[in-house]
């Protein structure tokens, strides 16, 4: 039931608050994808305020975004067209996700409500009050052995889950980082910073392999597509950008 799902989300938010919700080797290519060649493919415009959360739908056909304007938007990931606008939160939306197989979108706002929405109609189907406000994001590797923590510092900390020990500190951003996400295969980490850049890191080496520039203001949220071919980002500049290889 949706109520059970949304209640479980509260527990998830307490330990894992990721813009989206992976085993490593020494290559800079993942499944034959050369991330050093990533560049901006498309810019999505439509929000009237900074974008604080972005995520791909589970089948990668859509992107969902949440903004300081209190609005959720659903975009066609291929064309960049806004296909639905959802309103209902009273202020800033800090988290969105889109489970296409179940047909619902989940959001969390600074109005202290976690809500689920029918993805086809935009109707709010469940809402629950939660006073917990997480800071930054945590992204687990697919094998659940490691977690990348972006907690508002200029670095990203990688911790081993079982020992709870820090195994790597990713350094390179010049301002606070509030979003980090493991690639689907766990070989890379993407991070977005208030310095306006997005960095792709080799998760095993802790080395930045590529820096993406294009936003005119800080980056609040980053997320890999589920096939690992694209990255989506949301920014203080009110835009969403899709990054990949043409």
């Amino acid at each position: 039931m949706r109520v059970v799902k949304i209640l479980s989300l509260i527990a998830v938010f307490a330990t894992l608050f990721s813009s989206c919700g992976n085993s490593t080797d020494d290559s800079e290519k993942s499944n034959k994808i050369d991330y050093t060649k990533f560049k901006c493919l498309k810019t999505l415009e439509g929000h009237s305020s900074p974008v604080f959360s972005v995520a791909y739908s589970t089948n990668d056909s859509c992107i969902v975004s949440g903004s300081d304007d209190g609005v959720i938007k659903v975009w066609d990931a291929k064309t960049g067209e806004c296909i639905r606008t959802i309103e209902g939160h009273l202020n800033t939306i800090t988290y969105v996700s889109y489970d296409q197989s179940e047909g619902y979108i989940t959001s969390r706002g600074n109005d202290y409500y976690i809500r689920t929405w029918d993805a086809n109609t935009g109707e709010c189907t469940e809402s629950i009050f939660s006073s917990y406000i997480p800071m930054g994001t945590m992204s687990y590797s697919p094998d659940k052995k490691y977690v990348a923590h972006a907690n508002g510092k200029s670095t990203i900390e990688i911790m081993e889950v079982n020992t709870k020990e820090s195994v790597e500190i990713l350094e390179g951003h010049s301002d606070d980082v509030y979003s980090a996400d493991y690639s689907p295969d766990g070989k890379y980490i993407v991070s977005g910073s208030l310095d306006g850049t997005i960095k792709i890191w080799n998760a095993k080496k802790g080395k930045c392999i590529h820096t993406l520039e294009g936003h005119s203001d800080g980056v609040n949220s980053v997320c890999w597509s589920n096939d690992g071919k694209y990255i989506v980002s949301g920014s203080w500049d009110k835009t969403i950008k899709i990054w990949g290889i043409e």
Side-chain angles (χ1 to χ4, degrees):
M1 292 177 63
R2 293 282 168 79
V3 173
V4 174
K5 290 176 181 176
I6 206 165
L7 284 171
S8 67
L9 274 173
I10 296 176
V12 171
F13 281 130
T15 57
L16 170 61
F17 189 72
S18 177
S19 330
C20 331
N22 294 29
S23 33
T24 54
D25 68 7
D26 293 333
S27 172
E28 303 300 7
K29 296 184 180 181
S30 174
N31 298 324
K32 299 182 180 180
I33 302 170
D34 187 351
Y35 292 127
T36 65
K37 295 183 179 179
F38 264 37
K39 62 181 180 180
C40 183
L41 303 179
K42 202 175 296 292
T43 299
L44 314 183
E45 299 182 34
H47 282 293
S48 60
S49 295
V51 179
F52 282 105
S53 183
V54 290
Y56 271 93
S57 61
T58 47
N59 70 359
D60 289 336
S61 66
C62 294
I63 292 168
V64 61
S65 59
S67 167
D68 193 42
D69 59 17
V71 169
I72 299 165
K73 287 184 179 290
V74 182
W75 313 79
D76 185 299
K78 185 175 182 179
T79 67
E81 176 187 1
C82 180
I83 56 180
R84 184 170 301 282
T85 297
I86 300 172
E87 300 183 26
H89 281 288
L90 300 179
N91 50 29
T92 305
I93 296 170
T94 56
Y95 172 88
V96 288
S97 67
Y98 187 175
D99 188 332
Q100 215 147 15
S101 62
E102 296 290 335
Y104 68 88
I105 292 167
T106 302
S107 62
R108 204 284 185 201
N110 278 352
D111 58 4
Y112 299 106
Y113 277 94
I114 300 170
R115 303 181 190 272
T116 56
W117 313 82
D118 185 301
N120 295 315
T121 67
E123 177 187 0
C124 181
T125 57
E126 298 288 348
S127 64
I128 189 165
F129 183 86
S130 172
S131 60
Y132 177 70
I133 301 178
M135 178 67 71
T137 65
M138 298 174 70
S139 175
Y140 284 90
S141 59
D143 59 12
K144 307 302 181 186
K145 292 182 179 179
Y146 301 96
V147 60
H149 189 200
N151 60 357
K153 300 178 181 179
S154 62
T155 59
I156 302 101
E157 182 178 20
I158 301 177
M159 300 182 67
E160 191 171 8
V161 173
N162 288 339
T163 65
K164 298 181 175 58
E165 292 183 355
S166 178
V167 295
E168 193 74 59
I169 301 292
L170 308 183
E171 298 180 296
H173 284 294
S174 61
D175 207 336
D176 296 346
V177 180
Y178 286 105
S179 183
D181 191 32
Y182 265 96
S183 62
D185 62 7
K187 297 177 180 179
Y188 299 91
I189 294 169
V190 62
S191 60
S193 168
L194 296 188
D195 64 15
T197 69
I198 297 162
K199 290 183 180 292
I200 301 174
W201 311 79
N202 181 303
K204 183 177 181 179
K205 294 180 178 180
K207 181 182 72 172
C208 177
I209 65 166
H210 193 39
T211 298
L212 301 171
E213 298 181 349
H215 282 293
S216 61
D217 209 335
V219 178
N220 297 312
S221 180
V222 288
C223 184
W224 294 93
S225 61
N226 294 284
D227 61 10
K229 294 180 179 180
Y230 303 97
I231 292 168
V232 62
S233 59
S235 169
W236 276 91
D237 65 12
K238 308 175 187 178
T239 71
I240 298 143
K241 290 184 182 291
I242 300 172
W243 311 81
I245 302 173
E246 287 183 327

